[in-house]
Amino acid sequence: MISTIAQLKNRFGQALIAAFGADYGSVDPILVPASNPKFGDYQANVSLSLAKPLGKAPRAIAEQLVQQLDLADLCEPPTVAGPGFINLTLRTSYLEAQIKAIQSDPRLGVAAIDQPQRVIVDYPSPNIAKEMHVGHLRPAIVGDCLARILEFIGHDVQRISHIGDWGTPFGMLIAYLREAYPAALTASESLDLGDLSTFYRQAKKRFDDDENFREAARLSVVELQAGEAETLQAWKIVCELSSRSYRVIYDLMGIAHVLERGESFYNPLLESVIEDLRATGLLVEDNGAQCVFLEGFTNKEGKPLPLIVQKSDGGYNYATTDLAAIRYRVKEDKAQRVIYPVGMEQTNHFTQIFQVGRRAGWITEAVEFIHAPFGLVLGEDNKKLKTRSGEAARLQDLLDEAIVRARADLEARLQAEERQESEAFIAHAAQVTGISAIKYADLSQNRTSNYIFSYDRMLALQGNTAPYMLYAYVRVQGVSRKGQIDFEALGTDAKILLQDETELVLAKHLLQLDEVLAQIDEDLLPNRLCQYLFELSQKFNRFYEQCPILDAEEPLRTSRLILADLTARSLKLGLALLGIPVLERM
């Protein structure tokens, strides 16, 4: 199905050619949703942009353009307002036909894009041997959501977690493992991530306090890089334990499977990265270190700032590994777009490595590297969310607390309604609601903004929250149960009738999902989908309250049932793209 916006743009292109010549056929009609429903559904602002090149008043241009517009099958006659705005109101007959068309479409009118790309989404990238904390919340949630949306609209998406699984910290851990828990090398099952987290802190204390231990750790790094068997075994134990523990959290959060490709994967490629940079003339030695001097970045003295890619001792760093990943993703993965959902504080880092990638010839016009930054998760004190002891809050603790609170809310509601439900029902509903509340609260914010983490707000049944969306879906299922309606058996030959204003408003919104997803493909802002679903729930609730459904006479009854079903299917699809499952009852 061709989207409404696409059809309107095509008709405007034809009218621009007819009115002003072939050179104007590709001019953007600047179609936007009308700011006020009384002006119609869409507004074209192209006349204002053409005033200078045509040497005419915008209103005169608009009136001339309207004369050539052929929109009779889509819209009521266009009107010109103000200095030259062209207002468009969709015909009821057109809306009825479009609703009919998406009734039997599992994609609800969202066509796959014409030019799919091979896309890599890099998330959530934790560090091995450390427990996941609140800082891993946003990359996991945002990255998973972007991957789901881009995949749904037709891109070939690869999910990669660039985990920190190499380097000095592992020398420290291996040295301490040998010293304090040598039996762990042959009994990996005796450790869990909690043990390992404590173990890490103990190892770090030894590393900070004891110079001899630091030397042992350094030697362990050398042995690891040299592939010494026992050292590699210790490293594999730590990595496997961490990976298994992360998977438990990802499964709880509903995060799709990601390919773990850590720093160790790129380690054999680092030397060739240096050689590439040397061959292009970018590499400069500075105080024994190999550097690339950056354009647009200066130090305190105002001199060009160097990006160190090989330390004076011959070792490599985080930037070198990221450059290796850039080169590999272009040359081997054949990516056309690479997206990094990473915190705002890393903006300079990505700007720098992308610059080096372009100057080295790895990033070309054929591939786009994007840092999709996000803000911080704050506590009620408006500071970084931490525990009372001052440490970053454990991600597992945040998720568990959400489930506990969701269960308490549900049990209180069941008691008030004198409902009896099974333990399985309560546990499942609490988990879905709790986890969904956290994910939705994050995704509903503009990702570039900070937000305050509040259980009370995110679990509220009213407002732009997951429970509100889930309840709207449940409401439609309630209609099905009460009327013993099989939505799949309503028939594709049923007539759609949009008579009440709330029906028209709901139908128009149902037909905008493709526009929302197309916009997210461009700007990578998932909150657009959250806002769409929130407004859909609001519009459905008004329709539900004002228009009888089960008690309506035929053929209006079936038409309204189809609208209700399309609302539920749109909510289910939209929430699935956010990584949120629905509940049939709450």
Side-chain angles (χ1 to χ4, degrees):
M1 190 176 78
I2 302 176
S3 74
T4 299
I5 281 283
Q7 292 186 70
L8 291 174
K9 285 184 176 180
N10 183 51
R11 303 293 178 88
F12 265 88
Q14 295 170 3
L16 284 162
I17 292 172
F20 309 116
D23 291 344
Y24 292 91
S26 60
V27 171
D28 185 354
I30 314 179
L31 274 164
V32 295
S35 56
N36 190 320
K38 72 179 182 180
F39 298 135
D41 299 311
Y42 293 96
Q43 178 179 286
N45 299 333
V46 63
S47 305
L48 283 73
S49 68
L50 290 178
K52 187 173 181 179
L54 289 175
K56 295 182 179 181
R59 189 173 180 92
I61 294 171
E63 289 170 348
Q64 187 175 349
L65 191 55
V66 164
Q67 299 276 329
Q68 302 296 333
L69 271 174
D70 179 14
L71 297 173
D73 57 328
L74 301 176
C75 302
E76 302 294 340
T79 59
V80 178
F85 304 127
I86 300 175
N87 291 330
L88 308 170
T89 300
L90 298 173
R91 286 188 181 277
T92 300
S93 57
Y94 168 77
L95 293 169
E96 290 171 342
Q98 292 294 95
I99 290 293
K100 191 68 199 165
I102 69 172
Q103 182 195 354
S104 57
D105 182 3
R107 295 180 59 88
L108 298 173
V110 181
I113 56 174
D114 295 329
Q115 296 179 314
Q117 294 178 311
R118 178 168 291 182
V119 180
I120 289 175
V121 184
D122 185 328
Y123 73 99
S125 308
N127 288 319
I128 291 289
K130 293 183 182 179
E131 286 186 292
M132 294 183 75
H133 55 75
V134 64
H136 298 112
L137 183 68
R138 300 203 82 176
I141 292 173
V142 174
D144 181 63
C145 177
L146 291 176
R148 288 171 184 270
I149 291 173
L150 295 175
E151 194 169 58
F152 178 74
I153 62 180
H155 292 298
D156 175 13
V157 177
Q158 187 172 21
R159 301 160 168 86
I160 295 179
S161 181
H162 185 99
I163 56 176
D165 67 349
W166 201 252
T168 304
F170 282 90
M172 178 184 75
L173 293 170
I174 291 165
Y176 191 67
L177 189 69
R178 285 170 167 159
E179 177 183 282
Y181 302 98
L185 287 170
T186 55
S188 62
E189 294 300 321
S190 64
L191 287 175
D192 61 30
L193 191 60
D195 295 331
L196 202 55
S197 180
T198 302
F199 174 82
Y200 180 89
R201 288 194 294 269
Q202 292 169 341
K204 183 67 167 64
K205 188 175 189 307
R206 292 281 288 118
F207 186 85
D208 292 340
D209 295 345
D210 189 330
E211 186 174 341
N212 291 330
F213 183 84
R214 285 198 294 274
E215 178 62 16
R218 189 189 68 78
L219 290 174
S220 293
V221 172
V222 173
E223 292 171 352
L224 178 62
Q225 292 173 340
E228 195 276 326
E230 184 186 89
T231 307
L232 279 175
Q233 175 64 15
W235 173 73
K236 288 176 181 177
I237 289 171
V238 172
C239 291
E240 175 58 29
L241 285 168
S242 297
S243 179
R244 198 184 313 150
S245 299
Y246 296 158
R247 189 67 255 166
V248 170
I249 292 179
Y250 297 156
D251 288 345
L252 180 59
M253 293 178 69
I255 302 296
H257 175 76
V258 290
L259 171 64
E260 290 188 349
R261 189 187 283 172
E263 292 171 346
S264 61
F265 177 87
Y266 299 104
N267 194 60
L269 310 176
L270 301 183
E271 186 176 342
S272 61
V273 167
I274 300 300
E275 291 305 315
D276 265 15
L277 295 175
R278 182 174 286 116
T280 56
L282 291 175
L283 213 57
V284 177
E285 185 172 318
D286 186 59
N287 292 324
Q290 300 299 315
C291 308
V292 176
F293 281 86
L294 300 163
E295 298 172 353
F297 290 87
T298 57
N299 59 22
K300 293 179 181 178
E301 289 76 35
K303 297 179 180 179
L305 185 72
L307 179 69
I308 298 173
V309 294
Q310 187 173 24
K311 295 179 285 188
S312 57
D313 64 1
Y316 303 106
N317 58 21
Y318 187 57
T320 326
T321 305
D322 272 355
L323 290 173
I326 287 174
R327 190 181 66 158
Y328 191 91
R329 289 167 179 185
V330 173
K331 295 181 179 293
E332 304 300 329
D333 292 325
K334 308 297 183 186
Q336 295 165 283
R337 183 160 42 149
V338 183
I339 301 165
Y340 298 80
V342 178
M344 195 85 68
E345 65 274 11
Q346 294 292 324
T347 297
N348 275 352
H349 171 74
F350 284 106
T351 303
Q352 291 170 357
I353 62 170
F354 291 168
Q355 180 190 129
V356 175
R358 283 191 296 271
R359 291 168 63 191
W362 305 326
I363 301 177
T364 65
E365 293 298 321
V367 60
E368 186 178 15
F369 277 72
I370 305 165
H371 174 214
F374 47 75
L376 300 172
V377 181
L378 306 177
E380 300 283 359
D381 58 359
N382 219 36
K383 296 179 181 178
K384 274 189 179 182
L385 185 63
K386 295 183 179 180
T387 63
R388 290 180 180 176
S389 63
E391 297 178 349
R394 293 174 68 240
L395 185 51
Q396 184 73 57
D397 291 341
L398 294 178
L399 301 175
D400 290 344
E401 179 68 14
I403 295 171
V404 168
R405 291 182 180 232
R407 183 181 180 112
D409 289 349
L410 175 58
E411 289 177 336
R413 209 154 23 90
L414 292 176
Q415 185 174 3
E417 296 170 6
E418 298 183 348
R419 278 170 58 195
Q420 296 291 325
E421 297 289 356
S422 69
E423 168 58 26
F425 171 88
I426 294 172
H428 176 67
Q431 179 171 311
V432 169
T433 305
I435 301 300
S436 299
I438 285 182
K439 295 177 75 172
Y440 190 91
D442 193 302
L443 293 169
S444 63
Q445 307 293 320
N446 184 309
R447 63 169 163 74
T448 62
S449 303
N450 300 338
Y451 76 93
I452 294 175
F453 190 95
S454 167
Y455 288 114
D456 289 342
R457 195 175 306 152
M458 61 180 60
L459 286 166
L461 281 171
Q462 296 297 322
N464 192 8
T465 67
Y468 183 72
M469 305 309 134
L470 293 172
Y471 184 73
Y473 178 85
V474 166
R475 202 170 205 182
V476 177
Q477 305 318 304
V479 171
S480 171
R481 286 190 293 271
K482 183 178 179 181
Q484 296 183 320
I485 305 297
D486 179 359
F487 285 127
E488 294 183 1
L490 290 175
T492 56
D493 57 343
K495 188 174 179 61
I496 302 297
L497 299 170
L498 303 176
Q499 299 178 351
D500 190 90
E501 180 62 25
T502 60
E503 292 174 302
L504 284 166
V505 169
L506 179 58
K508 289 173 184 177
H509 198 76
L510 286 167
L511 296 172
Q512 291 172 5
L513 179 58
D514 58 341
E515 298 172 24
V516 173
L517 297 181
Q519 188 66 44
I520 296 172
D521 187 22
E522 292 184 17
D523 60 26
L524 305 176
L525 294 174
N527 62 294
R528 294 186 184 279
L529 179 55
C530 294
Q531 188 63 31
Y532 169 84
L533 296 174
F534 177 48
E535 292 177 8
L536 175 62
S537 299
Q538 289 179 311
K539 289 172 170 55
F540 171 75
N541 285 333
R542 283 195 285 271
F543 157 73
Y544 179 88
E545 290 161 3
Q546 295 184 30
C547 294
I549 299 178
L550 294 175
D551 294 336
E553 297 292 329
E554 291 291 2
L556 198 55
R557 182 178 188 267
T558 298
S559 175
R560 288 177 176 173
L561 284 169
I562 291 171
L563 275 183
D565 180 45
L566 285 174
T567 298
R569 288 168 56 195
S570 298
L571 285 168
K572 185 175 184 177
L573 172 59
L575 289 170
L577 295 178
L578 298 176
I580 294 174
V582 294
L583 292 167
E584 298 300 311
R585 295 189 298 119
M586 285 180 72

